[in-house]
Amino acid sequence: MTKQVAVIGSLNYDIIVKQQRMPYKGETFIADTLVQGPGGKGANQAAQCAKLGMPTIMVGKVGQDRFGDALVGSLTAIGVDTSYVKRTGSTGLGIVHVMPDGDYYSSIIKGANELITIQDIDEIVGDLMNAAFIILQQEIPQQVTEYIIKRFKDSETQIVLNNAPACHIPSDVLRGVNLLVVNESEAAFMTGKSITTIEEASSAGKKLQEITGDTVIITLGKEGSIAVNNEKNEYFAAKKVKAVDATGAGDSFIGALVYSLSKGQSLDECMKFATEVSAKTVMKEGGQESFPTEKELRKGLVR
Ligand code: RIB
């Protein structure tokens, strides 16, 4: 049976500004181009899972506004089950500045994402039990994220936590996470140690793995990623590609990783596949629209 994933998290409407550099304090800087579209770490991760063909449900909240319409419409068109997305308040926004090398600076306005409650989760907990994986991030209230981790701790469902933006999480809660994915700055926040080298990333991964007791992945952008579990602590180099926009690349990586895990592939295979998929993502402008589909990958349509 094909495994189902439930993503419980944020949906943001992204305003992506491409520009040569960030302005200085007090400076008005003329940017190059504007790309608008669906985003939010939760919705992005759901979009990548569905684009690869995984049955995906999205649990979250958007506003009763045109941004909410656009977010629900685009996710539905990709094949995500959006019947668990409630409409209230105003839609969350992502304001992203993308530099010529593809690197980005991002701020979010939480909006309706902040209105998700524990009661919302309790209402659908029976349906969530059918999911092989639940993917979480930190753009919804942290108490809801922690509640879900604790609620599913001893269940068959695998909990994937992308602790982004980084939050302090008690060790006993982290113990319920099967797969923790963070980037280098989030890993530095969680361990209290700066990460500037692959060796430092590797020891941060080990430290976090000792807390979760399961698998930890640290993504390092252009440098690649580290995967740590009970048996290994391994570095995976990134693909050398011409990056134009890294918005959502980490989310694309996570979606691809979970898809690959759902196929029963080894951690090595999952890491290689996720590296490949996210490399394709950074080569195209925008967020979700830059994520490759299973068909595109199969036919070699994305290079
Ligand atoms: O990870 C990228 C995402 O982070 C963007 O889509 C933005 O909305 C923020 O949530």
Side-chain angles (χ1 to χ4, degrees):
M1 201 174 89
T2 314
K3 290 181 175 163
Q4 189 189 65
V5 58
V7 182
I8 308 175
S10 59
L11 302 96
N12 295 331
Y13 192 82
D14 282 351
I15 313 282
I16 303 175
V17 183
K18 298 206 76 175
Q19 57 198 82
Q20 296 301 309
R21 62 169 173 82
M22 291 300 280
Y24 300 120
K25 184 177 178 184
E27 180 189 17
T28 299
F29 188 75
I30 298 176
D32 301 329
T33 49
L34 175 70
V35 184
Q36 300 180 58
K41 294 185 194 302
N44 289 349
Q45 292 166 20
Q48 185 62 88
C49 289
K51 279 187 160 197
L52 292 170
M54 198 170 179
T56 308
I57 68 166
M58 178 78 216
V59 179
K61 287 190 175 174
V62 295
Q64 287 165 315
D65 48 31
R66 68 190 171 91
F67 294 136
D69 294 343
L71 290 173
V72 171
S74 65
L75 265 193
T76 308
I78 287 169
V80 175
D81 177 352
T82 55
S83 59
Y84 299 90
V85 177
K86 289 185 177 173
R87 309 287 303 255
T88 182
S90 48
T91 300
L93 295 173
I95 313 293
V96 187
H97 302 270
V98 179
M99 302 300 117
D101 63 358
D103 280 348
Y104 69 91
Y105 298 80
S106 173
S107 308
I108 58 162
I109 291 140
K110 284 188 169 180
N113 296 307
E114 192 62 2
L115 304 177
I116 299 179
T117 63
I118 286 171
Q119 194 189 334
D120 290 323
I121 304 304
D122 281 341
E123 280 170 14
I124 57 167
V125 85
D127 295 353
L128 292 174
M129 288 288 179
N130 295 325
F133 298 90
I134 289 180
I135 312 182
L136 303 163
Q137 318 77 30
Q138 296 283 18
E139 291 182 338
I140 63 171
Q142 191 182 344
Q143 70 267 22
V144 177
T145 306
E146 291 189 8
Y147 176 76
I148 298 163
I149 296 170
K150 287 188 259 182
R151 187 77 176 69
F152 285 85
K153 190 173 178 192
D154 296 317
S155 73
E156 294 289 301
T157 305
Q158 299 277 299
I159 294 288
V160 180
L161 173 65
N162 173 213
N163 191 28
C167 298
H168 285 293
I169 309 170
S171 296
D172 64 312
V173 178
L174 276 176
R175 198 81 195 158
V177 172
N178 302 101
L179 171 61
L180 173 69
V181 188
V182 282
N183 67 20
E184 68 270 46
S185 65
E186 292 145 5
F189 175 89
M190 292 180 81
T191 57
K193 295 246 163 74
S194 78
I195 298 176
T196 53
T197 63
I198 289 163
E199 290 70 34
E200 285 170 353
S202 175
S203 67
K206 183 167 181 289
K207 197 171 171 185
L208 292 171
Q209 198 277 334
E210 281 165 6
I211 301 171
T212 68
D214 213 321
T215 307
V216 173
I217 291 167
I218 302 183
T219 57
L220 306 168
K222 295 182 182 74
E223 297 304 322
S225 50
I226 301 274
V228 189
N229 65 12
N230 285 321
E231 283 110 45
K232 62 166 72 186
N233 187 331
E234 199 174 333
Y235 167 69
F236 294 83
K239 296 250 159 211
K240 296 270 175 264
V241 294
K242 184 164 174 10
V244 296
D245 187 346
T247 313
D251 302 323
S252 165
F253 183 96
I254 291 167
L257 197 63
V258 172
Y259 166 80
S260 198
L261 282 171
S262 78
K263 296 286 170 199
Q265 291 176 338
S266 69
L267 185 57
D268 266 40
E269 289 169 319
C270 293
M271 290 296 287
K272 284 175 189 158
F273 180 69
T275 300
E276 179 83 28
V277 169
S278 57
K280 307 281 187 214
T281 290
V282 301
M283 291 166 73
K284 276 172 84 177
E285 274 187 359
Q288 288 168 30
E289 60 274 33
S290 69
F291 300 174
T293 63
E294 189 271 334
K295 193 172 164 195
E296 286 168 339
L297 289 168
R298 190 162 27 88
K299 291 190 168 173
L301 293 177
V302 276
R303 297 180 200 285

